[in-house]
């Protein structure tokens, strides 16, 4: 891959000149990271194959995992789609700008084939972050942007996280401070009048149900793994390892008191083997743990705070060189569903319910 010796850093509050410079880099085929309301994205002109290939190279992302295209307005999204149903239109009108990504039939030639990884669909969203919106407007093109982490690593929620993974690999990063939601957008596909959640995120099933209205089914990701696979639109990214810290992670769920005890037991066992072990805890239990590091994700009943803090916490586990992490589960309500989805993936299947 191309090594870019100097990745430009535009600090918070850099103003129009920085946005213009970043937009210019995108227009001339470069790759620039920028904040969205969910996580930082790695943007390039979605119409230019060589620019899109640079995103895949910088991330070391498998070529069969398609990218989300970011646009400034609903009309720009319609220009990318071959057709849009009334239900899809309703979802776009209700949640954009915001953390909802829709998988739509792609209009031939609207984006480079690399963006869709050869599928006949394209994932589109209108982000709700002032810097992202200014950048996209200035660039004047659809911006393909996956999360700005190296493949497999936790998504970046600050510009420093982006630089950790991308310094020397991209043209620049616009720093807009920490992102608000902290987990990626909800990816949905509508098929036969059913809204399928392909990846849970900032917009939860209840919100989708409310918008979709009476008689529309919202199928939750993973709710029924034996779903007739044929009737379900697919999201290729879901099969890859994601969000993983370097240390092995165990996720414990269940009754809070038993969970606390089990987490401590596992920590003790792993430390006895000579390993450096950390805990991802809620505020209520944090002081009671004895471990090499205790990182709290906030009050147990505030999943939005845990969502905002999770990816930074996973990166902190790496920075502290933990060999093992034992994490408490959080209630699966609202954004708690997306939070637990990411925690399960980070744990790579090492789950325990007590
Ligand atoms: O919040 C977000 O969505 C962030 C910010 C930067 O916008 N972006 C993001 O992109 O999370 P990425 O590439 O890390 O995740 C995109 C997900 C992947 O799981 C991918 O497989 C899925 O969307 N996807 C993209 N295009 C698709 C398509 N045509 N059909 C089904 N799934 C698709
Ligand atoms: Mg990602």
């Amino acid at each position: 891959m191309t090594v870019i010796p100097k990745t430009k850093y535009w600090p918070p509050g850099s103003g129009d000149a920085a946005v213009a410079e970043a937009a210019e880099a995108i227009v001339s085929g470069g790759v620039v990271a920028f904040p969205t309301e969910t996580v930082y994205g790695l943007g390039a002109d979605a119409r230019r194959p060589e620019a899109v290939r640079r995103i895949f190279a910088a991330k070391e992302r498998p070529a069969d995992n398609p990218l989300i295209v970011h646009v400034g307005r609903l009309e720009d999204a319609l220009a990318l789609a071959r057709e849009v149903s009334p239900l899809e239109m309703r979802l776009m009108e209700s949640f954009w700008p915001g953390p909802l990504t829709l998988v739509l039939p792609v209009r031939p030639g609207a984006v480079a084939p690399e963006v869709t990884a050869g599928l006949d669909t394209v994932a589109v969203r209108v982000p709700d972050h002032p810097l992202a919106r200014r950048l996209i407007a200035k660039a004047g093109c659809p911006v393909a942007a996956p999360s700005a982490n190296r493949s497999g690593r936790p998504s970046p929620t600050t510009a420093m996280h982006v630089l950790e993974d991308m310094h020397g690999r991209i043209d620049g990063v616009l720093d807009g401070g920490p992102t608000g939601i902290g987990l990626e957008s909800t990816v949905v596909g509508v098929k036969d009048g059913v809204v399928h959640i392909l990846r849970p995120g900032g917009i939860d099933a209840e919100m989708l149900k409310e918008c979709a209205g009476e008689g529309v089914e919202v199928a939750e990701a993973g709710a029924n793994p034996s779903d007739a696979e044929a009737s379900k639109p697919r999201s290729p990214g879901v099969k890859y390892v994601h969000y993983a810290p370097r240390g092995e992670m165990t996720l414990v769920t269940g009754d809070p008191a038993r969970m606390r005890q089990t987490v401590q037991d596992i920590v003790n066992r792993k430390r006895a083997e000579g390993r450096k072990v950390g805990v991802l805890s809620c505020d209520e239990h944090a002081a009671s743990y004895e471990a090499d590091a205790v990182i709290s994700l906030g009050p147990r009943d505030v999943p939005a705070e845990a969502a905002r803090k999770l990816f930074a916490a996973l990166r902190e586990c790496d920075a502290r060189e933990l060999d093992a992490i034992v994490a408490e589960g959080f209630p699966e309500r609202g954004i708690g569903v997306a939070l637990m989805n990411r925690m399960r993936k980070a744990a790579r299947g090492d789950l325990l319910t007590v």
Side-chain angles (χ1 to χ4, degrees), residues 34-42 59 61 64-70 98-104 106 115-117 119-125 127 145-149 155 183-189 198-199 202 233-240 242-243 342 345:
F34 61 95
T36 78
E37 78 279 31
T38 58
V39 300
Y40 276 73
L42 204 55
K59 274 185 72 87
R61 181 176 176 115
D64 69 347
N65 191 4
L67 309 180
I68 294 174
V69 179
H70 297 64
L100 182 74
T101 296
L102 269 130
V103 174
L104 301 168
V106 66
V115 171
T116 61
L119 298 175
D120 57 4
T121 53
V122 62
V124 190
R125 84 180 191 98
S147 51
N149 51 285
S155 297
L183 301 178
E184 303 85 344
S185 63
T186 302
V187 180
V188 302
L198 306 179
R199 178 182 71 182
R234 283 201 291 225
S235 192
V238 169
K239 66 177 179 281
Y240 292 108
H242 274 306
Y243 322 113
R342 304 307 190 272
K345 291 192 176 202

Side-chain angles (χ1 to χ4, degrees), residues 139-344:
C141 60
V143 174
S147 51
N149 51 285
R150 274 206 233 169
S151 258
R153 300 262 296 138
S155 297
T157 54
T158 69
M160 288 308 127
H161 297 164
V162 175
L163 287 170
E164 270 173 28
D165 284 15
M166 293 294 160
H167 188 75
R169 292 171 169 245
I170 61 172
D171 294 289
V173 53
L174 274 169
D175 191 344
T179 57
I181 295 174
L183 301 178
E184 303 85 344
S185 63
T186 302
V187 180
V188 302
V190 177
K191 200 160 180 187
D192 303 327
V194 178
V195 180
H196 292 268
I197 301 179
L198 306 179
R199 178 182 71 182
I203 304 287
D204 65 46
E206 285 310 312
M207 296 159 84
L208 289 168
K209 277 180 194 150
E210 206 166 295
C211 162
E214 289 293 313
V216 177
E217 193 188 331
V218 175
E220 297 193 46
N224 183 4
S226 64
D227 269 354
E229 283 300 319
S231 74
K232 196 177 147 196
R234 283 201 291 225
S235 192
V238 169
K239 66 177 179 281
Y240 292 108
V241 167
H242 274 306
Y243 322 113
R246 296 196 179 93
E248 60 179 36
M249 175 164 145
T250 306
L251 176 61
V252 185
T253 57
D255 165 75
R258 277 204 301 272
M259 188 174 70
R260 201 210 66 77
Q261 189 55 54
T262 305
V263 168
Q264 187 65 62
D265 291 345
I266 298 172
V267 169
N268 295 349
R269 183 152 38 78
K270 295 199 179 211
R271 286 178 100 194
E273 293 163 3
R275 295 200 278 173
K276 193 170 172 186
V277 188
V279 176
L280 291 186
S281 171
C282 60
D283 279 356
E284 291 86 340
H285 296 162
S288 73
Y289 284 120
E290 218 177 290
D292 297 298
V294 179
I295 302 170
S296 181
L297 297 178
R300 190 171 154 72
D301 279 327
V302 190
E305 183 171 334
R308 203 154 50 234
K309 292 178 168 173
L310 175 68
F311 289 147
L314 293 175
R315 281 175 184 265
E316 189 181 338
C317 292
D318 289 348
R320 295 198 187 193
E321 300 182 319
L322 299 176
D323 305 310
I325 300 143
V326 192
E328 293 187 349
F330 281 75
E332 294 196 59
R333 284 191 299 275
I335 199 166
V337 174
L339 171 71
M340 288 298 287
N341 168 272
R342 304 307 190 272
M343 292 185 86
R344 284 195 188 94

Side-chain angles (χ1 to χ4, degrees), residues 67-90:
L67 309 180
I68 294 174
V69 179
H70 297 64
V71 292
R73 301 167 312 175
L74 200 152
E75 303 88 275
D76 304 326
L78 299 183
L80 303 178
R82 187 160 42 73
E83 59 180 334
V84 170
S85 69
L87 175 54
E88 288 165 334
M89 195 70 187
R90 203 150 75 229

